[in-house]
Amino acid sequence: MINFVRDKKKMEKEKTDKKDHILDVAERVFAELGYDGASTRMISGEAGVNMAMLNYYFGSKEGVFLAIFERRITTFQTVLLSIGNDDSINSWEKLDKYLDSYIDKVVTNNCFHIMLNREISKSKKNELTDQITDIIMKNVTVFQNIIAEGIKKGDFNKDADQQLLVATIFGTKNYIVNTPHISSRVLGFDVLDTNIQNDVLKPRFKKYMKTLLKAYLQNENDNK
Amino acid sequence: MINFVRDKKKMEKEKTDKKDHILDVAERVFAELGYDGASTRMISGEAGVNMAMLNYYFGSKEGVFLAIFERRITTFQTVLLSIGNDDSINSWEKLDKYLDSYIDKVVTNNCFHIMLNREISKSKKNELTDQITDIIMKNVTVFQNIIAEGIKKGDFNKDADQQLLVATIFGTKNYIVNTPHISSRVLGFDVLDTNIQNDVLKPRFKKYMKTLLKAYLQNENDNK
DNA sequence: CAAAATTAATCAAACGATTGATTAGTTAAA
DNA sequence: TTTAACTAATCAATCGTTTGATTAATTTTG
């Protein structure tokens, strides 16, 4: 067996790569089978590591689950927050930017969002669902503020139902991303195919969402 | 011990009542914890029956799951189908009727729809997800046909994205019903409270959905 | 009608399999 | 040599299911 010479830098890189690899696999398996349906043996098996490594690295199965979260949420939320707080653009532009960023992210990281929504859909509360709720609410609040601000400024129709509009944008996204078997049959192509996602789904989804929101939020006496 | 005189009719009633009771409980527990998260012990325990009764009546855990489906889908789908096939009303009225029936049903039977959507959100295909997909697609197809017909007739805007509109109506519904922790915080009330559902949620949801679809589907040169 | 035979409903106990987790020991790196 | 990375073996607990036995209800028989 050949023994490579590896410096410390390289090692650390490989270590985090290994942990990252485990999380990649776990994220996919959790999305495929759900948290309860996915076993630690299956995850470690597909990741090509010993089962005990999951506990060695992440402490427990739940630790793996939470590690997946921490990896995804931080950068994403700061991006959305910065859009919400950008005072140099008007409400319509904010809406556009938010939708562009949001749709890009959730379509690309669909495994994560499938996993996330499966767990939050458990109607019985527990520590985990509370944590997930808080995470999701941060994204929701940014969107809500954009709408509320737009209405206050007079850019958006004041009769709009802010709360249910939240349900529409996030619900529409969830439908496409989280139930791929259904949405693929409705749309006529495989929504999980990366190429189709980038070339067809994302632009079409963005365009649709903007048109829909414009139709609903536009003041009745306005013309475009 | 008193021995009641009971005719055959009465007996059968009680038997189906018991099976129905088990399915009621199972439906709730599945919604609370997911299919994998809910154990047969827990279901039988909460239903107050011996564990073996689940297998005696329904063959297996999956049998319980499928029995819940058969109980719910039949009547519901015929109602929606009859609306879709009603030629005495125009497309706008069909849309209204469909939304009224659909929203009433899914909000009331929220446990069932939570359960249904949790399982279909597993991205790995299996026999069960295929069955659920077929069931869901029937409801979707009725809605799609209403939209397609309306566009063909010229009632609806021909530039409308039919497919993504499907994602919006069913997605918005799912968001409200399937993630009650989130939607309750967004809306500011408990979406699982039966009284609130009937007095507040249903009428508001119907009104919103109709307004949204009208804004999007209305021909640009039309006035109401 | 009454006794016997048959069927349906229910139960506690136990089955083998699988779960998440831990151990004690080995290998590799610093 | 000390520490970190990794492994095979094993743990108790829980899973869905099955069993054999028992009770209750119904039908058949004499």
Side-chain angles (χ1 to χ4, degrees):
Chain A
M1 189 83 85
I2 302 170
N3 210 339
F4 294 99
V5 179
R6 298 179 290 198
D7 59 5
K8 195 175 179 182
K9 193 82 177 179
K10 184 78 178 301
M11 278 303 301
E12 282 176 359
K13 185 70 190 323
E14 285 189 357
K15 176 187 157 192
T16 51
D17 273 359
K18 191 159 201 169
K19 291 178 79 170
D20 249 30
H21 172 64
I22 294 176
L23 294 182
D24 284 338
V25 172
E27 195 175 74
R28 200 194 72 239
V29 176
F30 279 142
E32 283 177 353
L33 303 165
Y35 179 79
D36 294 302
S39 71
T40 54
R41 278 171 181 74
M42 186 178 302
I43 294 172
S44 59
E46 293 211 22
V49 301
N50 189 282
M51 207 179 56
M53 294 311 293
L54 297 191
N55 295 70
Y56 180 72
Y57 280 135
F58 307 105
S60 66
K61 183 184 183 182
E62 189 176 311
V64 176
F65 194 78
L66 293 174
I68 295 174
F69 273 83
E70 288 178 13
R71 198 173 58 143
R72 291 268 181 231
I73 56 170
T74 44
T75 53
F76 187 23
Q77 296 201 329
T78 49
V79 171
L80 293 186
L81 258 175
S82 72
I83 294 174
N85 293 332
D86 186 351
D87 290 332
S88 68
I89 54 178
N90 68 30
S91 298
W92 287 107
E93 288 167 336
K94 271 191 193 179
L95 205 54
D96 267 25
K97 270 197 167 186
Y98 183 93
L99 290 174
D100 283 336
S101 292
Y102 183 73
I103 290 175
D104 269 332
K105 273 287 181 185
V106 294
V107 172
T108 301
N109 299 328
N110 56 73
C111 280
F112 174 65
H113 284 89
I114 289 175
M115 192 188 84
L116 183 131
N117 268 278
R118 287 198 93 256
E119 293 315 307
I120 194 60
S121 80
K122 291 178 180 173
S123 54
K124 176 159 276 180
K125 271 196 177 187
N126 59 50
E127 204 183 327
L128 200 57
T129 58
D130 283 344
Q131 284 188 52
I132 302 176
T133 303
D134 288 338
I135 292 171
I136 293 181
M137 282 305 294
K138 284 186 183 171
N139 294 346
V140 171
T141 304
V142 172
F143 179 78
Q144 273 187 310
N145 288 342
I146 294 177
I147 302 296
E149 192 187 272
I151 292 178
K152 195 178 169 189
K153 280 186 179 177
D155 292 336
F156 300 155
N157 188 334
K158 66 174 169 45
D159 295 326
D161 192 324
Q162 293 181 47
Q163 281 86 33
L164 287 182
L165 201 57
V166 168
T168 289
I169 171 176
F170 294 101
T172 305
K173 181 276 291 182
N174 286 347
Y175 191 85
I176 294 172
V177 172
N178 300 350
T179 58
H181 300 133
I182 303 285
S183 58
S184 291
R185 279 181 60 172
V186 170
L187 286 165
F189 53 75
D190 181 10
V191 298
L192 294 178
D193 183 298
T194 311
N195 291 328
I196 296 179
Q197 281 174 3
N198 290 323
D199 299 340
V200 182
L201 181 59
K202 284 180 185 175
R204 180 170 162 191
F205 187 20
K206 288 176 186 175
K207 184 188 169 191
Y208 165 77
M209 213 65 227
K210 292 172 186 175
T211 308
L212 179 69
L213 291 189
K214 186 166 266 178
Y216 181 72
L217 285 174
Q218 200 168 228
N219 285 308
E220 291 171 7
N221 48 349
D222 284 359
N223 286 327
K224 36 181 170 172
Chain B
M1 188 83 83
I2 302 169
N3 208 341
F4 295 99
V5 178
R6 296 179 291 196
D7 59 6
K8 201 176 177 181
K9 194 84 176 179
K10 183 81 180 299
M11 280 303 300
E12 283 177 0
K13 184 73 192 322
E14 285 190 356
K15 176 187 158 191
T16 51
D17 273 359
K18 190 156 201 170
K19 291 177 80 170
D20 250 28
H21 172 64
I22 294 176
L23 293 182
D24 283 339
V25 173
E27 195 175 75
R28 200 194 72 239
V29 176
F30 279 141
E32 284 177 354
L33 302 165
Y35 179 78
D36 295 301
S39 71
T40 53
R41 280 171 179 78
M42 186 178 301
I43 294 171
S44 58
E46 293 210 20
V49 301
N50 189 279
M51 211 173 43
M53 296 309 293
L54 297 190
N55 295 71
Y56 179 74
Y57 279 134
F58 308 105
S60 66
K61 183 184 183 181
E62 188 176 310
V64 176
F65 195 77
L66 294 174
I68 295 174
F69 274 83
E70 289 177 13
R71 198 175 57 145
R72 290 269 179 230
I73 55 171
T74 46
T75 54
F76 186 25
Q77 297 201 327
T78 50
V79 171
L80 293 187
L81 258 174
S82 72
I83 295 174
N85 293 332
D86 186 352
D87 290 332
S88 69
I89 54 177
N90 68 29
S91 298
W92 287 108
E93 289 167 335
K94 272 190 192 179
L95 205 54
D96 267 25
K97 270 197 166 185
Y98 183 93
L99 289 174
D100 283 336
S101 292
Y102 184 73
I103 290 174
D104 269 333
K105 273 287 181 183
V106 295
V107 172
T108 300
N109 299 328
N110 56 71
C111 279
F112 175 64
H113 285 88
I114 290 175
M115 191 188 84
L116 183 129
N117 269 277
R118 288 197 91 256
E119 293 314 307
I120 194 59
S121 80
K122 291 178 180 173
S123 54
K124 176 160 278 182
K125 271 196 177 186
N126 59 50
E127 205 183 327
L128 200 59
T129 57
D130 283 343
Q131 284 189 52
I132 301 176
T133 303
D134 288 337
I135 292 170
I136 294 181
M137 281 305 293
K138 285 185 184 172
N139 294 347
V140 171
T141 304
V142 172
F143 179 78
Q144 271 187 311
N145 288 341
I146 294 176
I147 302 296
E149 191 187 273
I151 291 179
K152 195 179 169 188
K153 280 186 178 176
D155 291 337
F156 300 155
N157 188 334
K158 65 173 170 47
D159 296 326
D161 192 325
Q162 293 180 47
Q163 282 85 36
L164 288 182
L165 201 57
V166 168
T168 289
I169 171 175
F170 294 101
T172 304
K173 182 275 293 182
N174 286 347
Y175 191 86
I176 294 172
V177 172
N178 300 349
T179 57
H181 300 134
I182 303 285
S183 57
S184 291
R185 280 183 57 173
V186 170
L187 286 165
F189 54 76
D190 181 10
V191 298
L192 293 179
D193 184 297
T194 310
N195 291 328
I196 296 180
Q197 281 175 3
N198 291 323
D199 299 340
V200 182
L201 182 59
K202 285 180 186 176
R204 180 169 161 191
F205 186 19
K206 289 176 186 175
K207 183 188 169 191
Y208 165 77
M209 214 65 226
K210 292 171 186 176
T211 307
L212 180 69
L213 291 189
K214 186 167 263 178
Y216 181 71
L217 284 174
Q218 200 168 228
N219 285 307
E220 290 171 9
N221 47 350
D222 285 359
N223 285 328
K224 34 182 173 174

